[in-house]
Amino acid sequence: MSVLRPNLLPLSLPYPNSSSILPYPTRRLPHLQTLPKILCAAKRTGKQRYPSEKKKLKLKHKEALTDVKNKFDGIWRLSKLAVSVQNDPGKDFLGVSEGLLQEIAKAIKFPVASMLPPEAFSVIRKSFDARKMLKEAKFVYTVDMNVSELINLEPRTIDFISDLEPRVGLIEHMPLERVSGDIISIIQGCKKVEGERLLKEGGVSDYSCNAGTYKCTGSRKPKIAVVGSGPSGLFASLVLAELGADVTLIERGQPVEQRGRDIGALMVRRVLELESNFCFGEGGAGTWSDGKLVTRIGRNSDSVLAVMKTLVHFGAPGNILIDGKPHLGTDRLVPLLRNLSPKSTGTGCFNQVWDKGR
């Protein structure tokens, strides 16, 4: 028994631009250029907000209005002050320029910007905005306004400060100035407070109020080993040493000076040191990664500022405290690690062991 194959006719589909008609109904797709543009991950603002978001924003506005007890005390924080590139001195300028004074005058509705004293304002944050949706690139500032100093230097601003109302994310009132130091000063302040408390209770026999240090008789220093000299290991060792512990830092790689020579040999002569390269050594894997300091924890939170000020304490430039996306650069990270190393801290209880074995 044989099976006969049916005759298969060749089917030729027409091109989209062809005028021929298929035997079955088809739906023509619109041209790609006529499709509506879909904005993905765009922030909803204004009328695009959901009703729940509008309700939360109203509640925040009410809370901000009730929190202000005296408008002439404390500091007003002015955010999202956009200055065009043409009116700004440049990215390295961190002071108060004439263009920034004009934006501050618009925010507080002061008629003459040139009459505002620059000494009453301090720049907290400066970032660069060059998105395509903008007509021109701008520098975006966050500025703290000292009300008492502003009124002393320019008394005619009293009426404008009295009419000033807080707006969430734009104008915020802080009754007390936020003062945050580096990690070393924070620990010394905590030790001073604890020493004064123990001194009152009679549990401390040797305490120096000026130096802020105290010694507990009969107590031994705890011995702690920290494995790895990356950012976490270095800061953990620094905090433990400042608290009075006997810290030993263990690292499988080499110190930063020898590590730099080994990386140079790898790049030039293709000689690989298994325990001293881009991944292993003092400073961790990020030492030769341009030192970007971008974080999502909080732009101006106290914890982030404490870490940033600690880096400045050990040799980092001061502009990382203000730049929107700060970075150090490998050329600055290497001397900073030299200053942060145990032999340079001068604590006397911060040892370092270089272990090439596993």
Side-chain angles (χ1 to χ4, degrees):
M1 183 177 179
S2 62
V3 179
L4 298 177
R5 295 182 179 179
N7 294 328
L8 299 178
L9 297 177
L11 178 62
S12 60
L13 295 176
Y15 293 100
N17 297 330
S18 177
S19 60
S20 59
I21 303 175
L22 291 174
Y24 49 87
T26 59
R27 182 172 60 89
R28 291 182 178 273
L29 295 176
H31 197 265
L32 294 177
Q33 294 182 354
T34 61
L35 290 176
K37 294 183 180 180
I38 300 175
L39 298 178
C40 298
K43 187 176 181 181
R44 295 183 297 271
T45 58
K47 296 181 179 180
Q48 296 180 356
R49 290 194 180 99
Y50 293 141
S52 60
E53 293 177 344
K54 293 180 181 179
K55 187 176 180 181
K56 291 180 180 179
L57 191 61
K58 289 182 180 179
L59 291 176
K60 288 183 179 179
H61 279 296
K62 290 182 180 179
E63 292 177 358
L65 289 173
T66 55
D67 290 340
V68 179
K69 297 180 180 179
N70 189 356
K71 296 183 179 181
F72 300 99
D73 289 340
I75 291 174
W76 286 87
R77 175 160 291 183
L78 311 177
S79 304
K80 298 181 181 180
L81 301 176
V83 181
S84 62
V85 178
Q86 298 177 356
N87 299 330
D88 194 89
K91 66 180 184 65
D92 296 329
F93 182 78
L94 304 178
V96 180
S97 61
E98 295 180 359
L100 181 57
L101 285 177
Q102 293 177 1
E103 297 299 323
I104 293 173
K106 292 179 183 178
I108 64 176
K109 298 180 181 180
F110 192 75
V112 184
S114 59
M115 297 175 62
L116 294 175
E119 297 82 7
F121 306 96
S122 58
V123 178
I124 302 300
R125 187 177 179 84
K126 181 178 181 178
S127 59
F128 184 66
D129 192 356
R131 291 176 293 177
K132 293 182 179 179
M133 64 180 66
L134 301 177
K135 295 182 180 179
E136 58 179 349
K138 296 181 179 180
F139 287 100
V140 183
Y141 286 84
T142 300
V143 177
D144 280 357
M145 179 176 63
N146 193 332
V147 180
S148 59
E149 188 174 358
L150 177 63
I151 294 175
N152 291 333
L153 296 175
E154 183 54 56
R156 284 169 286 191
T157 57
I158 295 178
D159 297 335
F160 299 92
I161 299 299
S162 61
D163 296 336
L164 195 62
E165 294 184 357
R167 288 185 292 171
V168 178
L170 297 176
I171 302 175
E172 299 176 355
H173 180 259
M174 296 183 295
L176 298 176
E177 184 180 1
R178 293 174 55 185
V179 180
S180 60
D182 55 3
I183 292 177
I184 298 176
S185 62
I186 292 173
I187 294 174
Q188 289 178 355
C190 294
K191 289 168 65 176
K192 184 177 180 179
V193 173
E194 183 68 14
E196 291 176 352
R197 185 184 67 83
L198 294 176
L199 185 62
K200 291 180 181 179
E201 295 177 359
V204 177
S205 59
D206 187 5
Y207 174 71
S208 175
C209 186
N210 295 328
T213 60
Y214 62 92
K215 297 180 181 179
C216 295
T217 59
S219 61
R220 295 183 179 180
K221 293 182 179 180
K223 294 183 178 181
I224 302 175
V226 178
V227 180
S229 66
S232 300
L234 287 172
F235 274 87
S237 303
L238 178 63
V239 171
L240 292 170
E242 287 292 330
L243 290 174
D246 188 359
V247 184
T248 300
L249 181 60
I250 302 173
E251 170 60 43
R252 67 183 289 182
Q254 293 295 327
V256 66
E257 297 87 356
Q258 180 62 36
R259 186 184 177 191
R261 291 190 286 268
D262 294 337
I263 290 176
L266 174 62
M267 297 298 294
V268 177
R269 301 193 301 271
R270 300 295 188 267
V271 178
L272 175 62
E273 290 288 338
L274 296 179
E275 306 297 338
S276 180
N277 45 56
F278 285 104
C279 296
F280 306 122
E282 185 180 12
T287 307
W288 267 265
S289 66
D290 201 25
K292 295 178 178 63
L293 303 176
V294 181
T295 178
R296 296 182 181 180
I297 297 174
R299 294 182 177 180
N300 297 314
S301 62
D302 294 336
S303 57
V304 173
L305 287 177
V307 174
M308 295 292 189
K309 290 183 178 180
T310 305
L311 296 177
V312 173
H313 176 77
F314 286 104
N319 60 345
I320 66 173
L321 302 175
I322 299 177
D323 289 341
K325 292 186 176 180
H327 78 281
L328 289 174
T330 305
D331 54 339
R332 294 192 182 99
L333 273 174
V334 173
L336 188 146
L337 285 173
R338 292 198 196 102
N339 298 332
L340 189 57
S341 61
K343 57 182 176 293
S344 300
T345 54
T347 56
C349 54
F350 189 5
N351 303 321
Q352 199 162 15
V353 178
W354 303 103
D355 185 11
K356 294 189 69 175
R358 294 176 185 267

